[in-house]
Amino acid sequence: ENETLDYENVYKKSAKRFMHKEYLLLGGGPINCSDRVLKAISMQTLNPLSVDMHQLMDEIKEMTQYLFQTKNRLTLVSQTSGSGGNETIITNLLDRGDKLVIAIGGTWGERVLDMALRYEYDVLPLTKPAGEVYTLEELENAVKSHKAKLLFVTHGESTGGILQKLEGLGPMCHKYGCLLGVDAVVSIAVDPLFVDRWEIDAVNAGTQKAIGAPPGMCLLTFSPRAEQRMREKKMKPPYYFDMLRQGIYFDCFGDHTRMFHYTFSSNMLSAVREALAQICEEGLLEIWARHKRNVEYFWKRLDEIGYTCFVNKRENRFHGVTGVNVPEGISQRELIKFAKDKYDIEIAPGFGPTLNKAMRLGLMGTNSRPEMADYLIEALKDGFQYLNK
Ligand code: PMP
């Protein structure tokens, strides 16, 4: 009765894999963490009810307000990945049967549609041909005709490589009593985002993209309008995603009770704090300019070696992840394998709009540097010569 499953084989296999190799993560995210972030995550775990933990939360909250350019008191970090952040937004702002418009720009918008249907919202999904973005007028017509309570938009779409403009959407939505929710999972700290100035009501940002912390957390902010909607709505959101509950733990409402919500990992929070500190030290203006400068340099070099971009219109292109067409006669799988085996580069294959058409190449966070663009170009050029036989 003391018999267990065979352990020796499992152990032997995992021991061999224990120290995995390091790669340059130049796909759709996650990206590589800095040494400072890696050191922070390995610090001793904290009691989730301790003052040290509260300080960690407060510092993250303050830096996240800067990151989002907002004074929203309900600004916090959540222990769920980007998908959970999107699910948090819709479930905190809508009741079953409520009207929602989703401006789909690729796979992530489709995933939000999938979530919304599970919660039985009354959804109007919008679609666009690959590489195209929505005009303010198109979105206004949809909000008006559907009498939407929420418009959900993806800012940067890492699957199609597009950037949806957000200016003007907030005031337009508010004219119709509608709220504006934004997936900024991959666009955060790449392209400009002004939550208060642009009147955005709910935003979700990933930690694992340009922020440079590991995956598994997201940063969220909610406007006073959104907070009011949460207090007025009839149905409670799923417990784990309940922002009014979590907001108490993060002392967003100033009652200082810090009622426990669930056990946060201080290791993960430390990593996020360190990554945000690096963002604050560099400054958003420089970060946005750096991403634009380096990706434009990358596009120029792509052109020089004969590769083309998936999104033709430059003004629609996202500055974090670029869809790059696979040259005729070359296998995407083999090119990606070549880059990994010879250059230790991880490139993301096409997904959603880019499936079987283009690879997804990301220069984000610490990897947004001219020398990284050059190294990637060298791998693509070498790969083409090797495989084009
Ligand atoms: N939205 C966007 C725009 C993304 O790029 C991603 C991450 N690939 C997600 C949502 C989903 O985030 P996660 O994989 O962290 O759940």
Side-chain angles (χ1 to χ4, degrees):
E1 79 216 28
N2 280 332
E3 243 179 61
T4 59
L5 291 175
D6 177 16
Y7 164 69
E8 211 174 308
N9 255 336
V10 181
Y11 171 73
K12 271 190 206 150
K13 271 197 236 154
S14 74
K16 227 174 23 185
R17 292 191 192 122
F18 187 66
M19 291 299 287
H20 63 74
K21 207 174 151 179
E22 291 185 4
Y23 295 96
L24 278 172
L25 301 181
L26 303 179
I31 67 157
N32 300 92
C33 297
S34 68
D35 290 344
R36 274 171 62 175
V37 169
L38 293 179
K39 184 161 178 246
I41 202 171
S42 66
M43 288 196 307
Q44 189 53 267
T45 299
L46 289 174
N47 167 6
L49 296 172
S50 62
V51 287
D52 311 79
M53 189 76 161
H54 296 161
Q55 187 182 336
L56 199 47
M57 291 168 152
D58 287 348
E59 286 177 18
I60 290 177
K61 199 162 62 179
E62 206 178 4
M63 290 191 280
T64 305
Q65 284 171 329
Y66 166 71
L67 181 74
F68 284 140
Q69 294 291 294
T70 185
K71 294 201 169 72
N72 289 339
R73 63 178 188 170
L74 188 48
T75 298
L76 38 70
V77 57
S78 206
Q79 205 160 280
T80 172
S81 73
S83 306
N86 284 345
E87 199 159 342
T88 301
I89 291 182
I90 58 173
T91 56
N92 276 264
L93 300 180
L94 297 171
D95 282 323
R96 187 182 298 125
D98 276 355
K99 292 176 183 297
L100 161 68
V101 170
I102 305 174
I104 298 175
T107 302
W108 306 118
E110 278 165 10
R111 295 271 161 102
V112 175
L113 172 61
D114 183 341
M115 292 171 197
L117 295 174
R118 291 168 196 234
Y119 290 103
E120 299 177 17
Y121 304 134
D122 178 356
V123 194
L124 172 64
L126 307 177
T127 52
K128 274 260 152 185
E132 294 294 324
V133 298
Y134 296 89
T135 62
L136 177 63
E137 197 187 6
E138 285 167 338
L139 295 176
E140 177 158 10
N141 286 340
V143 164
K144 200 159 75 174
S145 70
H146 194 53
K147 299 190 173 55
K149 285 185 97 170
L150 176 68
L151 167 64
F152 193 94
V153 177
T154 308
H155 189 208
E157 241 301 344
S158 53
T159 57
I162 49 166
L163 182 77
Q164 174 62 51
K165 313 238 169 344
L166 302 174
E167 294 95 314
L169 295 186
M172 177 277 285
C173 284
H174 297 150
K175 213 162 69 181
Y176 301 100
C178 176
L179 298 180
L180 174 63
V182 171
D183 171 343
V185 171
V186 72
S187 61
I188 196 70
V190 173
D191 277 299
L193 177 72
F194 294 96
V195 172
D196 286 358
R197 196 179 306 163
W198 293 350
E199 295 186 29
I200 306 173
D201 297 294
V203 185
N204 164 36
T207 54
Q208 79 272 34
K209 314 277 186 179
I211 302 282
M217 312 277 277
C218 65
L219 301 159
L220 291 156
T221 191
F222 296 90
S223 71
R225 273 192 185 88
E227 204 189 307
Q228 192 187 342
R229 171 80 62 85
M230 287 176 199
R231 294 185 192 282
E232 286 169 3
K233 84 189 209 55
K234 294 187 219 71
M235 296 170 70
K236 280 187 185 266
Y239 174 89
Y240 201 82
F241 293 155
D242 188 337
M243 289 294 101
L244 290 180
R245 191 77 202 230
Q246 193 168 309
I248 298 174
Y249 188 30
F250 274 77
D251 198 25
C252 293
F253 311 121
D255 68 358
H256 307 310
T257 60
R258 298 240 186 214
M259 187 178 60
F260 180 75
H261 187 207
Y262 56 75
T263 306
F264 267 76
S265 157
S266 65
N267 305 72
M268 290 291 275
L269 289 183
S270 297
V272 171
R273 173 173 63 178
E274 199 60 34
L276 289 174
Q278 289 190 268
I279 301 270
C280 295
E281 284 162 23
E282 187 178 357
L284 283 172
L285 291 178
E286 173 49 28
I287 287 174
W288 296 333
R290 174 166 61 83
H291 281 81
K292 186 164 183 296
R293 196 167 60 232
N294 291 331
V295 84
E296 282 177 349
Y297 171 68
F298 177 58
W299 295 341
K300 181 171 133 297
R301 296 243 32 218
L302 274 176
D303 196 37
E304 283 166 13
I305 63 164
Y307 277 81
T308 55
C309 289
F310 179 73
V311 178
N312 277 328
K313 290 184 194 154
R314 263 172 181 259
E315 67 272 22
N316 290 354
R317 281 187 207 158
F318 172 46
H319 295 97
V321 183
T322 305
V324 177
N325 294 319
V326 182
E328 196 106 346
I330 300 256
S331 144
Q332 174 177 232
R333 196 178 45 80
E334 283 178 31
L335 185 55
I336 290 176
K337 185 174 179 320
F338 178 86
K340 180 159 181 173
D341 292 347
K342 185 163 174 192
Y343 289 84
D344 292 338
I345 291 174
E346 283 270 14
I347 290 172
F351 189 35
T354 43
L355 186 69
N356 298 326
K357 292 185 188 126
M359 309 164 285
R360 293 173 302 133
L361 305 181
L363 290 173
M364 292 188 282
T366 56
N367 292 336
S368 169
R369 285 183 268 147
E371 58 273 27
M372 206 59 93
D374 285 337
Y375 188 60
L376 193 45
I377 289 288
E378 199 183 313
L380 292 174
K381 198 169 144 191
D382 193 10
F384 180 76
Q385 274 158 7
Y386 179 78
L387 296 168
N388 188 35
K389 288 189 184 129

